[in-house]
Amino acid sequence: MGAVQFGVLGPLAVTTDSGELVVVPGTKVRMLLADLLAHRNQVVSADRLIDDLWGDDPPAHSAGALQVRVSQLRKALNDAEPGARDLIESRPPGYVLRTQAVDADRFAELAAETDAYQLARALDLWRGEPYADVADEEFCRAEAARLAEQRLVVRERFAEARLARGEHDLVAAELAELVAKHPLREGLRAVHLRALYAAGRQSEALDSYADLRDRLAEELGLDPGPELVALRRKILEQDAALSAPPRAAIVRNSLPAQLDELVGRAEALAELRTLIPAHRLVTLIGPGGVGKTRLATEAAREHDGVHVVELATLPPGDQRIAEHVLGTLELRETTEEAVDRLVAALRQRRMLLVLDNCEHVVEPVAELLARLLRDAADVSVLATSREPLGLTGEVLWEVPPLALPDDEHNLDAVRRSAAARLFAARAAARQRGFRLDAHTAPAVAQICRRLDGLPLALELAATRVRALGVQGVVDRLDDRFRLLATQQRDVPPRQRTMTAVIGWSWDLLDEADRPVLARLAVFSDGCTPEAAERVCQTDLDALARLVDRSLVVLDESGERPRYRLLESVAAFCLERLDDADEVRARHASYYTDLAAHADARLRGAGQQEWLARLDAETGNLRAALAHGGGLRLANALTWYWFLRGRFTEARRALALPGSPTDVARATPWRIGFALLQGDPIVPDDVRAALAGDSDGRATWFVANAASDRSDVALAQELLPEATDDPWTAAAVLASRAKLAHAAGDLAALEEAATRSAAIFADLGDRWGRLQANDWLGGLAEMRGEHERAAALHHEGLRWAEELGLWPDVGGKLSWLAWIAVQTRDYEAGRELAERAYALVVEHDAPAAVVFAEMCLGMAARRSAKLDVAITHLTRLADEGRGEPRPALYLPMVLVELGYAVEQLGDSAAALALHTEAFDVADVAGWPRDTTGALEGMASAVSAPDLAARLLGAASAARLVLDAPAAPAERDEIDRVTERVVAVLGRDRFDALLAEGSRLSPDEARAQL
């Protein structure tokens, strides 16, 4: 993702990380950017954007005009920072700008701080009025007003902070102008009055109060508020407290000195430093090794009167907590009870107690703190524990692991990761030559991910780099408990190995909870509560206890909550799983039942929900296949694998051994997946495998795969003629529409696609509607209804994105690229085709790759980028020629390649390509392609009279097919026509054109 910074605190500004200004061209494009920024990270509907940009005077094709502006904005961002185009996402029903790099958001973060330095940094971000160049637009008016109000509040707070430092004269002078601009703002006026009085200007302060009182009465009919009235009285009484300097509290701290840098915790520290003054008991919770102690001590470092009490040295359940605290504070014991003595000693003290490692003495600590917080009002507590203390008023702050790299092959992404920065810093401290560079970044990213971003685990691993090298550490992570150990003598024994860290928590568990935790380790990437209960034979109470003890993470980020184990915890627990075979058998049984239940629901209204559920269980499904699910589970997952484009995984699983019934069910699906991946098959084997297909679905699947391979004859032979299953009937109709599109049979295409769409709509199956939508859009495009075609494909694109069907998303982008090229919008066509190509290559969808690359070649050729076009088109032509039978796309590619070659001046080679295209299409029975080839021949022949007759034959064929030339095709025809008319004259050309119109395509071809 490109690193682009956005500025709205002044005129709209876009910069790169290096500070280079990004030029956003055009008023409408800048307005679009401002609109998306004002609603950043929220979807803004296309209708609203059109209304905001054009108001009551929208362009004729407003949706297309908006898409053009979006494309221009994406291009401007991407030209500045490659990848930045992806910041703007297409999300139904419009677009969303995903970014955290907006100066207004940074301002809000800094404004939440309390010290003057941070407030000054916040104000330094401003460059003028917010959204200055578009502030009058309705869409950003509220946002601009909100930001302006925030700025005023921060300026008031900054002024108060400077008053506390004694800067009375400066504050009085600087606020004078602000008060003049906002004369009725009472909070601002109060700060100004205090500044004037503290600066020795009492009469001016009273005059300012009088001015406010008069204005309020005249303009609003109000009196000043009670706070201002009280302030005026203090000024009249010359209250010394108004100008007294702040008292400095000097109290001894007992914080340990910093021995190394705290890495990757800046945001956490900022949040905690806000929480601690506002709450009397804050408890940092989290698993062992996540860095609770270090974070707590650093968060407390800015406070006065801090004392750290280390509890880890106490035995589990020790009741002598008060005595331990007294000893740490160096307070002498008396004959009083220890708790009473401690309360008495702290009752008059302002203090922050840091109680570290409370988990093994939770109950006595909680008992002590309940008394201490009640009776010593100026004492606050910051505790660290692997479970909550369970007290009224306790604020729990879960310490997260460090952020992981989101792309191990992107050096910048790895360097931005807090986990990688920590590992690199500690490794460099042990090995002076260590660098986080392109060579080491992938291995470091793997280490960070495998160790869950746990700071202690990363630091232990970093100590091994000097002896093993970074790749050696990766290679030994499967034996992590031998690897993750240290010989550092100043580290407590319980933190010298990961075994000891996790074992500390394991030993504190109840006997009944240990097997539950161990059984959870069989899950891969977590599990739902239902799965945990069934597989682990437990209840939610036991799971809740494990969550409270920070051994299990409850993840509620998705649609359904999931329980997860950190990888190191799972590895520890697997070694302690006593009934592994029985647990894995229950695991395989649960996920086989789940997949079977999901299979029927993936063909209907529940499609999106069940796709998401199976996506979340991908790791568990693969584990279940390996541990007993076998071929029965594989058969239940075939349709899911197809929808997700996981063809290789499907073929591998469908080859597993199983019962004769399961093998018979799996075989045709395995053949279909082989066809989709381009493998050769024997037609007789296909027919034999389909002999037992009862409902026709497997037969349709194989036939549809054959059509993707351009084996039209086999597809037509295999497609079921009749079926009682509505879903299969609709799928067969979609495949027939595809074949009719290839044959140019518009009547059959319309009937099949329309019926298919209607049935799938009744079933609520959006994947099915997507297939029918392809060919309804194709029909509209063939008839020259390009706006309708684009609208249909945009609708299909939305369905595909909502379902996460990324190969289909790529296919829809290719359709839109095709239409853009045909309607002369070559830049949009290139952009759409590039997005489609990257997506389908990533998801290994062969047929979709061909379509996307064909659009890339066409867009490049029409944009006069002939070298790029010829590279793409030649590769596709060679691939199409290598197929066992003519590829559906081959004639179109050959025609386009012929035009490119002609533009380079080689008419003979161009004519050969156009002729080859005609012959391929003629043999296959694809009349629309023969027509395009005739027009290509006309452009390449040297005899003008022959060119005229070829154009006439092509024009007549288009009328018969009801397939008018698209605007881009019309340009080619007009180009040839103009050249021939220039030689023959209009009358002679028209006569030859009429003569050619009486020729069939084959007869015209024979003229060569």
Side-chain angles (χ1 to χ4, degrees), residues 29-99:
V29 181
R30 289 179 63 79
M31 287 177 64
L32 171 65
L33 175 58
D35 205 342
L36 293 173
L37 280 170
H39 303 92
R40 54 194 173 277
N41 302 309
Q42 304 173 44
V43 176
V44 187
S45 72
D47 290 343
R48 177 170 179 176
L49 289 170
I50 291 168
D51 188 54
D52 288 345
L53 266 61
W54 288 283
D56 296 330
D57 188 26
H61 306 300
S62 54
L66 174 62
Q67 189 176 15
V68 168
R69 300 309 189 280
V70 172
S71 297
Q72 291 173 327
L73 178 54
R74 283 173 168 158
K75 182 178 186 300
L77 297 178
N78 210 65
D79 287 347
E81 289 285 355
R85 71 169 60 250
D86 297 331
L87 294 172
I88 300 175
E89 300 177 12
S90 173
R91 282 287 178 271
Y95 298 91
V96 57
L97 173 59
R98 302 279 188 203
T99 181

Side-chain angles (χ1 to χ4, degrees), residues 599-600 603 669 693-702 725 727-728:
D599 186 43
R603 296 179 177 85
W669 290 91
D693 182 26
S694 58
D695 59 12
R697 286 183 184 173
T699 302
W700 162 79
F701 181 68
V702 175
D725 175 36
W727 189 94
T728 305

Side-chain angles (χ1 to χ4, degrees), residues 524 587 591 617-629 633 637 640-641 646 649 652:
S524 177
H587 179 274
Y591 285 103
E617 302 296 355
T618 295
N620 283 313
L621 293 168
R622 288 171 178 162
L625 278 170
H627 296 135
L633 175 55
L637 289 172
Y640 168 70
W641 281 325
R646 298 177 189 167
E649 183 176 0
R652 187 186 308 117

Side-chain angles (χ1 to χ4, degrees), residues 853 857 865-877 897:
E853 188 166 15
K865 298 174 182 176
L866 298 181
D867 53 340
V868 175
I870 288 174
T871 298
H872 285 300
L873 296 170
T874 300
R875 197 197 71 75
L876 287 172
L897 185 58

Side-chain angles (χ1 to χ4, degrees), residues 137-326:
E137 301 295 337
E138 184 64 33
F139 60 78
C140 69
R141 194 171 298 157
E143 170 74 355
R146 182 184 66 81
L147 289 170
E149 171 64 20
Q150 284 187 348
R151 184 189 191 186
L152 273 174
V153 170
V154 173
R155 292 185 73 172
E156 289 175 15
R157 291 172 52 212
F158 182 51
E160 289 175 345
R162 294 174 65 198
L163 280 181
R165 295 193 312 215
E167 300 177 18
H168 311 133
D169 291 304
L170 287 174
V171 172
E174 291 175 10
L175 289 188
E177 182 181 355
L178 203 57
V179 167
K181 289 179 64 177
H182 305 278
L184 300 180
R185 194 176 182 91
E186 294 192 37
L188 180 64
R189 185 80 71 151
V191 181
H192 190 219
L193 293 181
R194 286 162 47 205
L196 287 170
Y197 178 78
R201 296 156 66 181
Q202 179 180 356
S203 63
E204 291 180 53
L206 293 172
D207 288 344
S208 181
Y209 175 87
D211 174 69
L212 173 65
R213 181 189 57 204
D214 294 344
R215 286 177 180 270
L216 285 172
E218 292 172 9
E219 298 180 29
L220 302 177
L222 298 174
D223 292 324
E227 295 84 0
L228 270 170
V229 172
L231 177 59
R232 174 179 177 271
R233 185 168 56 250
K234 289 182 179 180
I235 293 173
L236 289 170
E237 295 170 354
Q238 298 187 355
D239 190 332
L242 286 179
S243 56
R247 272 189 318 173
I250 303 174
V251 183
R252 182 177 62 85
N253 284 356
S254 68
L255 284 168
Q258 285 181 300
L259 299 178
D260 52 25
E261 179 189 4
L262 180 63
V263 177
R265 293 298 196 190
E267 292 182 5
L269 274 175
E271 184 175 345
L272 278 175
R273 285 170 177 165
T274 302
L275 276 180
I276 292 171
H279 301 277
R280 294 191 60 209
L281 174 57
V282 177
T283 305
L284 304 189
I285 60 170
V290 81
K292 300 183 293 295
T293 298
R294 184 66 190 279
L295 188 56
T297 55
E298 293 308 311
R301 198 171 294 281
E302 288 193 348
H303 295 265
D304 290 323
V306 180
H307 293 274
V308 178
V309 180
E310 173 58 68
L311 301 176
T313 56
L314 298 177
D318 195 318
Q319 300 295 314
R320 298 168 299 166
I321 308 301
E323 290 91 330
H324 189 68
V325 176
L326 285 167

Side-chain angles (χ1 to χ4, degrees), residues 488-650:
Q488 286 184 231
R489 296 176 179 85
D490 59 346
V491 175
R494 62 187 176 80
Q495 291 185 337
R496 289 183 185 175
T497 69
M498 280 306 293
T499 304
V501 171
I502 301 171
W504 171 268
S505 294
W506 174 272
D507 292 340
L508 293 175
L509 288 178
D510 296 337
E511 287 291 338
D513 289 344
R514 290 177 187 169
V516 176
L517 181 62
R519 290 167 187 165
L520 283 170
V522 303
F523 291 100
S524 177
D525 198 25
C527 64
T528 62
E530 298 87 349
E533 288 181 287
R534 179 166 154 185
V535 174
C536 300
Q537 294 186 330
T538 187
D539 57 33
L540 293 180
D541 288 341
L543 295 167
R545 288 194 296 273
L546 293 173
V547 171
D548 280 345
R549 287 161 174 76
S550 300
L551 285 164
V552 174
V553 177
L554 178 60
D555 181 357
E556 297 184 278
S557 60
E559 291 293 325
R560 298 163 63 83
R562 296 181 70 78
Y563 293 111
R564 301 184 189 278
L565 297 185
L566 299 180
E567 189 171 327
S568 295
V569 174
F572 180 94
C573 291
L574 280 175
E575 295 180 357
R576 289 153 181 81
L577 182 60
D578 297 329
D579 52 351
D581 291 342
E582 294 88 340
V583 176
R584 287 196 171 100
R586 290 197 297 270
H587 179 274
S589 173
Y590 176 85
Y591 285 103
T592 300
D593 291 346
L594 180 71
H597 185 75
D599 186 43
R601 286 153 183 80
L602 288 175
R603 296 179 177 85
Q607 195 170 69
Q608 185 170 10
E609 174 192 352
W610 282 92
L611 277 170
R613 288 188 66 172
L614 293 183
D615 287 344
E617 302 296 355
T618 295
N620 283 313
L621 293 168
R622 288 171 178 162
L625 278 170
H627 296 135
L631 195 54
R632 179 170 169 252
L633 175 55
N635 279 328
L637 289 172
T638 50
W639 190 239
Y640 168 70
W641 281 325
F642 172 74
L643 291 176
R644 283 294 180 245
R646 298 177 189 167
F647 301 164
T648 301
E649 183 176 0

Side-chain angles (χ1 to χ4, degrees), residues 227-484:
E227 295 84 0
L228 270 170
V229 172
L231 177 59
R232 174 179 177 271
R233 185 168 56 250
K234 289 182 179 180
I235 293 173
L236 289 170
E237 295 170 354
Q238 298 187 355
D239 190 332
L242 286 179
S243 56
R247 272 189 318 173
I250 303 174
V251 183
R252 182 177 62 85
N253 284 356
S254 68
L255 284 168
Q258 285 181 300
L259 299 178
D260 52 25
E261 179 189 4
L262 180 63
V263 177
R265 293 298 196 190
E267 292 182 5
L269 274 175
E271 184 175 345
L272 278 175
R273 285 170 177 165
T274 302
L275 276 180
I276 292 171
H279 301 277
R280 294 191 60 209
L281 174 57
V282 177
T283 305
L284 304 189
I285 60 170
V290 81
K292 300 183 293 295
T293 298
R294 184 66 190 279
L295 188 56
T297 55
E298 293 308 311
R301 198 171 294 281
E302 288 193 348
H303 295 265
D304 290 323
V306 180
H307 293 274
V308 178
V309 180
E310 173 58 68
L311 301 176
T313 56
L314 298 177
D318 195 318
Q319 300 295 314
R320 298 168 299 166
I321 308 301
E323 290 91 330
H324 189 68
V325 176
L326 285 167
T328 302
L329 298 179
E330 299 179 2
L331 295 172
R332 292 175 300 172
E333 294 192 36
T334 67
T335 57
E336 292 180 275
E337 286 286 335
V339 175
D340 295 334
R341 168 72 178 124
L342 182 61
V343 170
L346 299 186
R347 183 173 283 126
Q348 302 303 321
R349 295 197 183 196
R350 192 172 191 84
M351 179 180 294
L352 174 63
L353 275 180
V354 179
L355 299 185
D356 194 26
N357 296 296
C358 299
E359 56 273 349
H360 62 304
V361 286
V362 166
E363 292 186 6
V365 166
E367 184 178 349
L368 172 65
L369 290 185
R371 170 80 185 280
L372 189 61
L373 293 172
R374 184 184 71 234
D375 295 343
D378 289 332
V379 173
S380 298
V381 177
L382 179 61
T384 75
S385 179
R386 299 187 191 184
E387 62 178 292
L389 301 180
L391 292 173
T392 301
E394 178 183 25
V395 175
L396 293 179
W397 202 91
E398 188 168 355
V399 179
L402 294 174
L404 301 174
D406 51 21
D407 182 356
E408 66 183 45
H409 300 295
N410 182 324
L411 178 58
D412 288 338
V414 177
R415 284 175 170 167
R416 286 194 298 268
S417 155
R421 294 204 311 273
L422 174 65
F423 180 88
R426 301 298 185 255
R430 290 302 188 99
Q431 183 185 12
R432 189 172 61 183
F434 179 82
R435 295 289 183 275
L436 184 56
D437 53 24
H439 175 68
T440 59
V444 170
Q446 288 184 60
I447 292 168
C448 294
R449 188 174 59 253
R450 294 286 306 278
L451 297 181
D452 301 298
L454 286 177
L456 178 60
L458 293 169
E459 292 184 335
L460 292 174
T463 66
R464 297 294 193 173
V465 171
R466 184 165 177 254
L468 301 174
V470 67
Q471 188 58 48
V473 173
V474 173
D475 295 340
R476 287 163 176 79
L477 282 175
D478 287 337
D479 190 13
R480 67 182 60 206
F481 295 118
R482 288 184 59 192
L483 173 74
L484 300 181

